Each structure stands twice: as C-alpha cells, then as structure tokens.
Amino acid sequence: MLNGFFAALRHAGLKVSLHEHLSLLEALTAGHGDCSLDRFYALARSLYVKRESDYDLYDRVFAAHFKGVELNRPLADELLSWLEDVQKRGLRPEDLAGLDPLTLDELLRKFEERLREQKERHDGGSHWIGTGGTSPFGQGGAHPTGIRVGNQGGGRSAMQVALERRFRNLRHDVVLDTRQFAVALRRLRRLADNHGADSLDVDKSIDKSAREGGEIELVFGPERGNRIKLLLLVDVGGSMDPHAQMCEELFSAAHASTHFKAFRMYAFHNCIYERLYTNMATGEGENTEDVLRTLDQDWCVLLVGDAWMHPFELTQVGGAITLSHQNRRSGLEWLQALRARCPRSVWLNPEPPRIWESTSARLVRSVFPMTPLSVDGLERAVDMLRGLRPNRPDVEAVFPAGAART
Amino acid sequence: MNALTERFVGTDTYLCPPDLAEAVHVAATLGRPLLVKGEPGTGKTCLAEAVAEHAGLPLLRWSIKSTTKAKDGLYVYDTVARLNDARFGDRDIRDIRQYIRFGPLGEALRADQPVVLLIDEIDKADLEFPNDLLHELDRMRFTVDETGDEISAKYRPLVFLTSNNEKELPDAFLRRCVFHYIAFPDEGMLKSIVQVHHPGVAQALLDAAVKRFEDLRKVGELRKRPSTSELVDWVAALLADGLTPEALEGRLPYLGALLKHEQDIERVERGGQRQRRSPW
C-alpha cells in the first residue's frame, strides 16, 4: 500500500525520491508504525513534501489513494472559480419549504452525477451546481441539506483535511499576491554577483596579513552587488482591464524591490509605438526612442500584455488603435528595435497559453519569448534573463504574412 | 529514550497543532533537521524555544544574516587577536586553540548533552549556505582545519531551521530535512492562542477582537497582513486600556499594533478601498 502511495505521488508529479520513501519506512519502524491515518497523513507529508506549494497536490493524491476520490483537477478548480465572487440571490421562506431534504449519501451521489453532467457555469436556478438558487449544490445557495462547494471548514480528520484542500492557495501555478511576485523577482538578485571591478577585500587582507605574521598583504576580490536594472513595460486598458490588479501587484513588487540598481516602468496600449507613457490618462510620457537610447546591456526588460489585438496594429504603419496617434513605424518594428537594444527581455502574458496561437500573439512571440504572468512564469522569465534558460523567440518570424491572414 | 524523542505536544504558552507535533516527532526520531516555513508571526522561532523548554534542554540560537557564512557557525579562527597578541600581548601565541571560537553549530556538536539548535531564517544567507551545511548536518561532525581537531557529536542535536521563503533552498538540502509549513491558524485556534497569552480575557472581547482581526486579514492588497503575534500584542493593548467589545465596533483602536505599513493603515481607514499607486 505504501509503495502504491509513493508511486501515486510520483505519478502525480511530486518530486519524491527513494531517499524520502526510505526515511518514511525508517520512521514507521522506529515507533511511528502504530499511527492512525490522521497521524500518517502528517508523518508522510513531513517527509515526502518539501514545499508548501506541493501540499495541495499531496492532499489530492492522499485523498484519491486512501479513499478512491477521483482526481479531477481541471474540473474541480474550474467549478470553484465559477463559485467565486457572485452575488447570492435572495430566497423567500416559502421557496425553501418546497425543497426536499436529502440524506448525505443521496446528496453525494447526486452531486457526483450532476458534476459529471454539468458542462458550464450556472448562477441561480434549481438544478445545476452554481451560486445562489435552490439547487442542493453550490455556494451561497439555500437548499436545506445542500452541499456547499469550496467550504471553509469544520472537519479535522486527515481525510477531511486532505479533501478540504486548505493549501490550494499555496500552489505556484496560480497567481497570488505581491509577496510571491517579490520573491520571484528576488531571483534576479543573483544575476550580477562576481562582475565588475576588483575591490579591496578588507577582511581577507587582515586575515592574510595575520597569517603572514604581520606583513601587510592586500587581497583583492571581485565586487559584489547587483547591477541589474529592470524596465517594466505594461499594456493597459481594453482587454487588459481584467488583469489590472495583477499588473499592479507585479508593479508594486518590482517597485518595492530594493535590490535593483535602477527600475523604470512605462505603460503602453496593445503595442509599443513612438511614445511610452507614465500616465496613460493624461498622455504624459517619453519618446520611445529616447527611452531606448538610455538602455544598455545591464537592463532587463519585462513586457506585460495579452498580445491580443488586430494584426494590423503590429504590422501596419498607422495601425495603432488610438486614433489620435498615427505611428510612422509599425508596432512590430518597434518591438524588434527594443529586442535588439535589450536582448535580455521576456514578454509575460496574463492570458492562458492556449490563446497564444492568435496571429497577433504569434507575431509578438516571433520577437520575444513569452511566459505566463504567474509566479512560475515569472520565475521562468527571470531564468531566461539570467541566461539559465535559452532566451529566444518562441516561433519563427511570421512577419509580415500575419497581416494578410485575417 | 532521551528527552528529545519523547513526544512534543506543546507547552503552556505554545499551542502545537497535531500535524506540527508529528513533524517534530519525526525529526527527533530520525535525527534530521526540521525545516519550518510559514507566514511571518506564525511562531516558527517560538517552536524551537518551546521544544527546548519542554524537553528541558539548552537552546542554541544562530540567527542568519545575508553575510553569514556556513563556516562561521562551526568556528572562527580569530587571526586578528592572534596578530595583536603577537605584537603587543603576552600570551603564548603558539597555542592556536585559544584563538578558535566556536559558533552555535560548533557548540551544538561539541556539547556534552543533547541540545536544541535553532538556525533562524536560513533563507537570508547566500545561496550556497545550505549546501555548505549539508555535510555537517548529515554527519554531525567537522574538522578544525587550523588544529586538525575532529569534533564529532556525542549526541545528535535537534536542529530547527526556519525560512521566510526569500529564496528557494536547494533540493539536495531539502531531501535531508523534515519539512513543515505552519498554516495560518483558524478562528478557534486563534482564540486559543490569545487565551494562552492572556488567560483573563473576556469571551466577548475575544470574539470581537478575533472577528475584526480576521476581517482585517481579508482586506485586499495589504502590504503585510497582520499575523498571530500581532494579534496577541494588540489584545494586550486592548486589555491594558480596559476596552470593552463595543470599542471595537467602529474605527479600530491601536491599529498600529496590527498594521505596520502606513499605506495599509490608510487603506483600512478608508474602508479597504483600492489605492491607486500606479499610473493606470
């Protein structure tokens, strides 16, 4: 059974080695053997799982392995996201009286059935899983014996804890808060160690002098310190509105990071043209050419945008979406100019990779490598900037064929 | 069976959830370091103190800074003192041993009894730091290069490592640790924690305080959400002032005990409205 659990964890993608498995067996023989499932849950987790971001995965494997609960991640998560943030609709007492109370088993069975049938989000109504309404299933609903999906609490047994998935929010592939962005950005700090001019290492000099019996010896070493300069360019407005909060969080994380030698940020709309803005509403900003001129090889560039626009906006002179602005060079040329000036650049996209196949996104990806705007994606981007991963465009140049294809 | 392998269940002032107790127990029986992570203020550092107190063992503390080197924890050879003595002193400088100063890890491995060693905020140090410690933590022995003395632990110390997640720790290092993430306590646990620190607190005040505290944690976009330790301090302030539960209804008194950033305080006072920091 234990080997099966170990295999299931590995199969689910958790990086557990034989080393940890043997440790668990050692612990079990050393007096932890008589433990209940509850204690085993904590015991095995403390040895198998080394990152809180993997707790959620562990919970799901544990629940599936020890009770046969189906692992159906995409559906379950999608379900939870339907249920978030929707207003509860009011129900009158007489509506409630007409509903049949269900026993727990019936309820669970029906819940599973209905989950299997249901294909989309529902709010209100009396049948599907959703928010409000009188269906027994969902959140914020009002059925007398309903199942609340994504419930806050209660149980404390291992099964319940595992099913409760309290650590869902610690997963790395979901975007969270400023702090996580800050941690990801901090990886940039490693970039510049051991570069630059030699400087006098006072400690080593004293140490060496003492070892030499008092003859003064000077020791020089490479200067430490971060030379990284970060330029953040953010697409704002229009299709980016739903992502505004995420962008703000990235911005505040970058802004709060003290370890950059320099940090600058500009906004643009859909694509970069002649101007980069410090205030989109008033049109304050600088000429893109002037900004580019001040950049050197130490600058890393993160672009944030959904790369979702009409291909004309990228390929045509005068294609900019803002009517007041007639660009003299095409957007794609501007992007290429930026890329040429700062090869250390990555495009972060808040939209899921499945829409990156749109013509405009492919055009952008022919210039910049693209990663998702999530903690994982940002870490990957930082690795590219640091040269730990190849930093090259995702797709072959498609310019200018994209313009004709719409 | 020594004092360390006895099961730790918490102390009078430290409430230990069962899964954490299990992790401590595993670390003690296997003789592995226990790596503890969690939001600031969830009691990572207090855990080591509580375990040492519970087991009646001395606690050695090694607080890591960005400049800390792994070797400093073992010993430092004080060459400057020796140089000074050579020029001006009257000590016999041929005996190098008197210039060897042991660090917390060195002391823990030299000790004549089991000890609890706390390596606090290990993620503050250089990236290589955890790797440099691998050998010593695994074998529980080290050599003083200058004198050739080999020091090997008679008793394996129980090692606690805390991390605030500022850096990823290397996999090879993680493999050798027992890991536990302290989840943020739920409402019931929060109340118990406050009661442990303030046994006299009235139930109504406790309920009101914890409720407001939890609401505060839900305010979006706080730069630093208040933690358990801040709740305990805040309740102390409320008690010292003799405040009643009604006082917590409107504007929160002593908000500064809970929120440490000026912007956070402003935001909460404006009713959690989104603050425009950025140009769009």
Short mmCIF file of all heavy atoms in Angstrom, two decimals, chain A residues 38-81:
data_model
loop_
_atom_site.label_atom_id
_atom_site.label_comp_id
_atom_site.label_asym_id
_atom_site.label_seq_id
_atom_site.Cartn_x
_atom_site.Cartn_y
_atom_site.Cartn_z
N ASP A 38 -4.74 9.65 10.46
CA ASP A 38 -4.53 11.07 10.69
C ASP A 38 -3.06 11.38 10.90
O ASP A 38 -2.51 12.32 10.32
CB ASP A 38 -5.30 11.54 11.93
CG ASP A 38 -6.78 11.47 11.71
OD1 ASP A 38 -7.18 10.99 10.63
OD2 ASP A 38 -7.53 11.87 12.62
N ARG A 39 -2.44 10.56 11.78
CA ARG A 39 -1.04 10.82 12.05
C ARG A 39 -0.18 10.46 10.85
O ARG A 39 0.82 11.11 10.57
CB ARG A 39 -0.59 10.07 13.30
CG ARG A 39 -1.02 10.77 14.58
CD ARG A 39 -0.50 10.08 15.81
NE ARG A 39 0.96 9.94 15.79
CZ ARG A 39 1.63 9.14 16.61
NH1 ARG A 39 0.98 8.40 17.49
NH2 ARG A 39 2.93 9.08 16.54
N PHE A 40 -0.58 9.43 10.15
CA PHE A 40 0.18 9.05 8.97
C PHE A 40 0.17 10.16 7.93
O PHE A 40 1.18 10.43 7.27
CB PHE A 40 -0.38 7.75 8.36
CG PHE A 40 0.32 7.37 7.09
CD1 PHE A 40 1.57 6.78 7.12
CD2 PHE A 40 -0.26 7.63 5.86
CE1 PHE A 40 2.24 6.45 5.95
CE2 PHE A 40 0.40 7.31 4.68
CZ PHE A 40 1.64 6.72 4.73
N TYR A 41 -0.97 10.81 7.82
CA TYR A 41 -1.09 11.93 6.87
C TYR A 41 -0.02 12.99 7.14
O TYR A 41 0.68 13.43 6.24
CB TYR A 41 -2.49 12.54 7.00
CG TYR A 41 -2.68 13.88 6.35
CD1 TYR A 41 -2.91 13.99 4.99
CD2 TYR A 41 -2.63 15.04 7.11
CE1 TYR A 41 -3.08 15.22 4.40
CE2 TYR A 41 -2.80 16.28 6.52
CZ TYR A 41 -3.03 16.36 5.16
OH TYR A 41 -3.18 17.59 4.58
N ALA A 42 0.12 13.36 8.44
CA ALA A 42 1.09 14.38 8.80
C ALA A 42 2.52 13.85 8.68
O ALA A 42 3.42 14.54 8.20
CB ALA A 42 0.83 14.85 10.23
N LEU A 43 2.71 12.61 9.10
CA LEU A 43 4.04 11.99 9.06
C LEU A 43 4.57 11.92 7.63
O LEU A 43 5.67 12.38 7.33
CB LEU A 43 3.95 10.58 9.68
CG LEU A 43 5.14 9.65 9.47
CD1 LEU A 43 6.34 10.16 10.23
CD2 LEU A 43 4.80 8.24 9.91
N ALA A 44 3.76 11.34 6.76
CA ALA A 44 4.21 11.15 5.38
C ALA A 44 4.41 12.51 4.71
O ALA A 44 5.34 12.70 3.95
CB ALA A 44 3.20 10.32 4.60
N ARG A 45 3.54 13.47 5.05
CA ARG A 45 3.68 14.77 4.42
C ARG A 45 4.98 15.44 4.83
O ARG A 45 5.66 16.07 4.02
CB ARG A 45 2.50 15.66 4.79
CG ARG A 45 2.42 16.90 3.92
CD ARG A 45 1.28 17.80 4.30
NE ARG A 45 1.44 18.32 5.65
CZ ARG A 45 0.53 19.03 6.27
NH1 ARG A 45 -0.62 19.30 5.71
NH2 ARG A 45 0.74 19.48 7.49
N SER A 46 5.35 15.30 6.12
CA SER A 46 6.55 15.98 6.59
C SER A 46 7.80 15.42 5.91
O SER A 46 8.82 16.09 5.85
CB SER A 46 6.66 15.91 8.11
OG SER A 46 7.01 14.60 8.51
N LEU A 47 7.73 14.19 5.44
CA LEU A 47 8.91 13.60 4.80
C LEU A 47 8.86 13.67 3.28
O LEU A 47 9.87 13.85 2.63
CB LEU A 47 9.08 12.14 5.25
CG LEU A 47 9.54 11.99 6.69
CD1 LEU A 47 9.38 10.57 7.17
CD2 LEU A 47 10.99 12.45 6.85
N TYR A 48 7.69 13.51 2.72
CA TYR A 48 7.57 13.48 1.26
C TYR A 48 7.58 14.88 0.65
O TYR A 48 8.06 15.08 -0.44
CB TYR A 48 6.25 12.82 0.83
CG TYR A 48 6.25 11.32 0.82
CD1 TYR A 48 5.08 10.61 1.05
CD2 TYR A 48 7.41 10.60 0.54
CE1 TYR A 48 5.05 9.23 1.02
CE2 TYR A 48 7.40 9.22 0.52
CZ TYR A 48 6.22 8.53 0.75
OH TYR A 48 6.20 7.18 0.71
N VAL A 49 6.97 15.82 1.31
CA VAL A 49 6.71 17.12 0.69
C VAL A 49 7.63 18.16 1.29
O VAL A 49 7.69 18.32 2.50
CB VAL A 49 5.24 17.54 0.91
CG1 VAL A 49 4.93 18.78 0.11
CG2 VAL A 49 4.31 16.42 0.51
N LYS A 50 8.35 18.88 0.44
CA LYS A 50 9.33 19.84 0.93
C LYS A 50 8.98 21.27 0.57
O LYS A 50 9.76 22.18 0.79
CB LYS A 50 10.72 19.50 0.39
CG LYS A 50 11.18 18.09 0.76
CD LYS A 50 11.35 17.94 2.27
CE LYS A 50 11.33 16.52 2.75
NZ LYS A 50 12.58 15.83 2.62
N ARG A 51 7.82 21.46 -0.05
CA ARG A 51 7.43 22.83 -0.43
C ARG A 51 5.94 22.96 -0.16
O ARG A 51 5.19 22.06 -0.52
CB ARG A 51 7.66 23.07 -1.92
CG ARG A 51 9.09 23.18 -2.29
CD ARG A 51 9.26 23.45 -3.77
NE ARG A 51 10.66 23.64 -4.06
CZ ARG A 51 11.51 22.63 -4.29
NH1 ARG A 51 11.07 21.39 -4.29
NH2 ARG A 51 12.78 22.88 -4.50
N GLU A 52 5.56 24.09 0.42
CA GLU A 52 4.14 24.25 0.71
C GLU A 52 3.32 24.29 -0.56
O GLU A 52 2.14 23.97 -0.56
CB GLU A 52 3.90 25.49 1.59
CG GLU A 52 4.22 26.83 0.95
CD GLU A 52 5.67 27.20 1.12
OE1 GLU A 52 6.50 26.30 1.31
OE2 GLU A 52 5.99 28.41 1.04
N SER A 53 3.98 24.66 -1.68
CA SER A 53 3.22 24.71 -2.94
C SER A 53 2.80 23.31 -3.38
O SER A 53 1.93 23.16 -4.22
CB SER A 53 4.03 25.40 -4.03
OG SER A 53 5.31 24.81 -4.12
N ASP A 54 3.44 22.28 -2.82
CA ASP A 54 3.08 20.91 -3.18
C ASP A 54 2.07 20.29 -2.20
O ASP A 54 1.64 19.16 -2.40
CB ASP A 54 4.33 20.02 -3.23
CG ASP A 54 5.21 20.37 -4.42
OD1 ASP A 54 4.66 20.92 -5.40
OD2 ASP A 54 6.41 20.10 -4.37
N TYR A 55 1.73 21.01 -1.13
CA TYR A 55 0.78 20.46 -0.16
C TYR A 55 -0.55 20.10 -0.82
O TYR A 55 -1.16 19.09 -0.51
CB TYR A 55 0.52 21.46 0.98
CG TYR A 55 1.46 21.35 2.16
CD1 TYR A 55 2.68 20.67 2.06
CD2 TYR A 55 1.15 21.93 3.39
CE1 TYR A 55 3.54 20.58 3.13
CE2 TYR A 55 2.00 21.84 4.47
CZ TYR A 55 3.20 21.17 4.34
OH TYR A 55 4.05 21.08 5.41
N ASP A 56 -0.96 20.97 -1.73
CA ASP A 56 -2.26 20.75 -2.38
C ASP A 56 -2.24 19.47 -3.20
O ASP A 56 -3.17 18.66 -3.14
CB ASP A 56 -2.60 21.95 -3.26
CG ASP A 56 -3.99 21.81 -3.88
OD1 ASP A 56 -4.94 21.60 -3.11
OD2 ASP A 56 -4.10 21.88 -5.11
N LEU A 57 -1.17 19.28 -3.93
CA LEU A 57 -1.02 18.07 -4.74
C LEU A 57 -1.03 16.84 -3.83
O LEU A 57 -1.70 15.85 -4.11
CB LEU A 57 0.31 18.15 -5.51
CG LEU A 57 0.59 17.06 -6.52
CD1 LEU A 57 -0.47 17.08 -7.61
CD2 LEU A 57 1.97 17.25 -7.14
N TYR A 58 -0.30 16.94 -2.73
CA TYR A 58 -0.25 15.84 -1.77
C TYR A 58 -1.65 15.52 -1.25
O TYR A 58 -2.06 14.37 -1.18
CB TYR A 58 0.69 16.22 -0.62
CG TYR A 58 0.72 15.20 0.50
CD1 TYR A 58 1.56 14.09 0.44
CD2 TYR A 58 -0.07 15.37 1.64
CE1 TYR A 58 1.59 13.15 1.46
CE2 TYR A 58 -0.05 14.44 2.66
CZ TYR A 58 0.78 13.34 2.57
OH TYR A 58 0.81 12.42 3.58
N ASP A 59 -2.39 16.57 -0.89
CA ASP A 59 -3.75 16.38 -0.38
C ASP A 59 -4.60 15.61 -1.38
O ASP A 59 -5.35 14.71 -1.03
CB ASP A 59 -4.41 17.73 -0.08
CG ASP A 59 -4.00 18.27 1.27
OD1 ASP A 59 -3.25 17.56 1.98
OD2 ASP A 59 -4.42 19.39 1.61
N ARG A 60 -4.47 15.99 -2.64
CA ARG A 60 -5.31 15.34 -3.64
C ARG A 60 -4.92 13.89 -3.85
O ARG A 60 -5.78 13.01 -3.95
CB ARG A 60 -5.25 16.12 -4.97
CG ARG A 60 -6.20 17.32 -4.96
CD ARG A 60 -6.17 18.06 -6.27
NE ARG A 60 -4.91 18.77 -6.41
CZ ARG A 60 -4.18 18.76 -7.51
NH1 ARG A 60 -4.57 18.06 -8.56
NH2 ARG A 60 -3.06 19.44 -7.57
N VAL A 61 -3.60 13.63 -3.88
CA VAL A 61 -3.16 12.25 -4.05
C VAL A 61 -3.56 11.42 -2.84
O VAL A 61 -4.04 10.30 -2.97
CB VAL A 61 -1.63 12.18 -4.29
CG1 VAL A 61 -1.16 10.75 -4.34
CG2 VAL A 61 -1.26 12.91 -5.55
N PHE A 62 -3.39 12.02 -1.67
CA PHE A 62 -3.75 11.31 -0.44
C PHE A 62 -5.23 10.95 -0.45
O PHE A 62 -5.62 9.81 -0.20
CB PHE A 62 -3.43 12.20 0.77
CG PHE A 62 -3.61 11.50 2.10
CD1 PHE A 62 -2.55 10.87 2.72
CD2 PHE A 62 -4.86 11.50 2.74
CE1 PHE A 62 -2.72 10.23 3.94
CE2 PHE A 62 -5.03 10.86 3.95
CZ PHE A 62 -3.95 10.23 4.56
N ALA A 63 -6.05 11.93 -0.76
CA ALA A 63 -7.50 11.69 -0.77
C ALA A 63 -7.85 10.62 -1.79
O ALA A 63 -8.66 9.73 -1.53
CB ALA A 63 -8.24 12.99 -1.07
N ALA A 64 -7.22 10.70 -2.97
CA ALA A 64 -7.54 9.75 -4.02
C ALA A 64 -7.07 8.35 -3.63
O ALA A 64 -7.78 7.36 -3.81
CB ALA A 64 -6.89 10.18 -5.33
N HIS A 65 -5.86 8.30 -3.06
CA HIS A 65 -5.28 6.99 -2.79
C HIS A 65 -5.98 6.30 -1.63
O HIS A 65 -6.18 5.10 -1.65
CB HIS A 65 -3.80 7.14 -2.49
CG HIS A 65 -3.09 5.82 -2.48
ND1 HIS A 65 -2.77 5.16 -3.65
CD2 HIS A 65 -2.67 5.02 -1.48
CE1 HIS A 65 -2.18 4.03 -3.36
NE2 HIS A 65 -2.10 3.91 -2.05
N PHE A 66 -6.33 7.03 -0.62
CA PHE A 66 -6.88 6.39 0.57
C PHE A 66 -8.39 6.38 0.61
O PHE A 66 -8.98 5.85 1.51
CB PHE A 66 -6.29 7.03 1.83
CG PHE A 66 -4.84 6.69 1.99
CD1 PHE A 66 -3.86 7.57 1.58
CD2 PHE A 66 -4.46 5.47 2.52
CE1 PHE A 66 -2.52 7.23 1.70
CE2 PHE A 66 -3.13 5.13 2.64
CZ PHE A 66 -2.15 6.01 2.23
N LYS A 67 -9.02 6.97 -0.36
CA LYS A 67 -10.46 6.83 -0.36
C LYS A 67 -11.03 6.63 -1.75
O LYS A 67 -12.20 6.41 -1.93
CB LYS A 67 -11.13 8.04 0.30
CG LYS A 67 -12.45 7.67 0.95
CD LYS A 67 -13.01 8.87 1.67
CE LYS A 67 -14.11 8.48 2.63
NZ LYS A 67 -14.50 9.62 3.45
N GLY A 68 -10.16 6.69 -2.72
CA GLY A 68 -10.67 6.50 -4.07
C GLY A 68 -11.45 7.69 -4.59
O GLY A 68 -12.25 7.55 -5.49
N VAL A 69 -11.20 8.86 -4.03
CA VAL A 69 -11.84 10.05 -4.56
C VAL A 69 -11.17 10.41 -5.88
O VAL A 69 -9.95 10.42 -5.97
CB VAL A 69 -11.71 11.22 -3.57
CG1 VAL A 69 -12.25 12.49 -4.18
CG2 VAL A 69 -12.43 10.89 -2.29
N GLU A 70 -11.95 10.65 -6.89
CA GLU A 70 -11.36 10.91 -8.21
C GLU A 70 -10.52 12.19 -8.22
O GLU A 70 -10.91 13.20 -7.67
CB GLU A 70 -12.47 11.06 -9.26
CG GLU A 70 -12.78 9.80 -10.00
CD GLU A 70 -11.54 9.07 -10.52
OE1 GLU A 70 -10.84 9.64 -11.35
OE2 GLU A 70 -11.31 7.92 -10.09
N LEU A 71 -9.39 12.09 -8.87
CA LEU A 71 -8.58 13.28 -9.11
C LEU A 71 -9.09 13.92 -10.38
O LEU A 71 -8.93 13.38 -11.46
CB LEU A 71 -7.14 12.86 -9.38
CG LEU A 71 -6.13 13.02 -8.29
CD1 LEU A 71 -4.77 12.68 -8.84
CD2 LEU A 71 -6.15 14.42 -7.76
N ASN A 72 -9.75 15.02 -10.25
CA ASN A 72 -10.25 15.63 -11.46
C ASN A 72 -9.96 17.11 -11.40
O ASN A 72 -10.85 17.93 -11.27
CB ASN A 72 -11.74 15.37 -11.61
CG ASN A 72 -12.19 15.64 -13.02
OD1 ASN A 72 -11.45 16.23 -13.80
ND2 ASN A 72 -13.39 15.21 -13.34
N ARG A 73 -8.72 17.41 -11.44
CA ARG A 73 -8.29 18.75 -11.13
C ARG A 73 -8.90 19.84 -11.99
O ARG A 73 -9.46 20.78 -11.47
CB ARG A 73 -6.77 18.84 -11.17
CG ARG A 73 -6.27 20.23 -10.82
CD ARG A 73 -4.80 20.20 -10.65
NE ARG A 73 -4.17 19.97 -11.93
CZ ARG A 73 -2.94 20.38 -12.22
NH1 ARG A 73 -2.24 20.97 -11.31
NH2 ARG A 73 -2.41 20.16 -13.39
N PRO A 74 -8.80 19.73 -13.29
CA PRO A 74 -9.27 20.88 -14.08
C PRO A 74 -10.74 21.18 -13.81
O PRO A 74 -11.12 22.33 -13.60
CB PRO A 74 -9.09 20.41 -15.52
CG PRO A 74 -8.15 19.28 -15.46
CD PRO A 74 -8.30 18.65 -14.12
N LEU A 75 -11.57 20.14 -13.72
CA LEU A 75 -12.98 20.37 -13.49
C LEU A 75 -13.24 20.98 -12.13
O LEU A 75 -13.95 21.97 -12.01
CB LEU A 75 -13.75 19.05 -13.64
CG LEU A 75 -15.25 19.18 -13.48
CD1 LEU A 75 -15.80 20.19 -14.46
CD2 LEU A 75 -15.93 17.83 -13.66
N ALA A 76 -12.60 20.37 -11.11
CA ALA A 76 -12.86 20.86 -9.75
C ALA A 76 -12.45 22.31 -9.59
O ALA A 76 -13.16 23.11 -9.00
CB ALA A 76 -12.14 19.99 -8.74
N ASP A 77 -11.29 22.66 -10.14
CA ASP A 77 -10.83 24.03 -9.98
C ASP A 77 -11.71 25.01 -10.75
O ASP A 77 -12.01 26.10 -10.30
CB ASP A 77 -9.39 24.17 -10.47
CG ASP A 77 -8.42 23.66 -9.41
OD1 ASP A 77 -8.91 23.37 -8.29
OD2 ASP A 77 -7.24 23.54 -9.70
N GLU A 78 -12.13 24.56 -11.92
CA GLU A 78 -12.98 25.41 -12.72
C GLU A 78 -14.29 25.66 -11.99
O GLU A 78 -14.80 26.77 -11.93
CB GLU A 78 -13.26 24.70 -14.04
CG GLU A 78 -13.59 25.62 -15.18
CD GLU A 78 -13.79 24.84 -16.46
OE1 GLU A 78 -12.99 23.92 -16.72
OE2 GLU A 78 -14.77 25.12 -17.14
N LEU A 79 -14.78 24.58 -11.35
CA LEU A 79 -16.01 24.67 -10.60
C LEU A 79 -15.87 25.72 -9.51
O LEU A 79 -16.74 26.58 -9.35
CB LEU A 79 -16.31 23.30 -9.98
CG LEU A 79 -17.59 23.19 -9.20
CD1 LEU A 79 -18.77 23.34 -10.13
CD2 LEU A 79 -17.66 21.85 -8.48
N LEU A 80 -14.75 25.65 -8.78
CA LEU A 80 -14.56 26.61 -7.70
C LEU A 80 -14.53 28.03 -8.25
O LEU A 80 -15.06 28.94 -7.64
CB LEU A 80 -13.27 26.31 -6.96
CG LEU A 80 -13.41 25.20 -5.93
CD1 LEU A 80 -12.04 24.90 -5.33
CD2 LEU A 80 -14.37 25.61 -4.83
N SER A 81 -13.91 28.18 -9.42
CA SER A 81 -13.81 29.54 -9.92
C SER A 81 -15.17 30.08 -10.37
O SER A 81 -15.41 31.27 -10.34
CB SER A 81 -12.77 29.63 -11.06
OG SER A 81 -13.28 28.99 -12.20
#
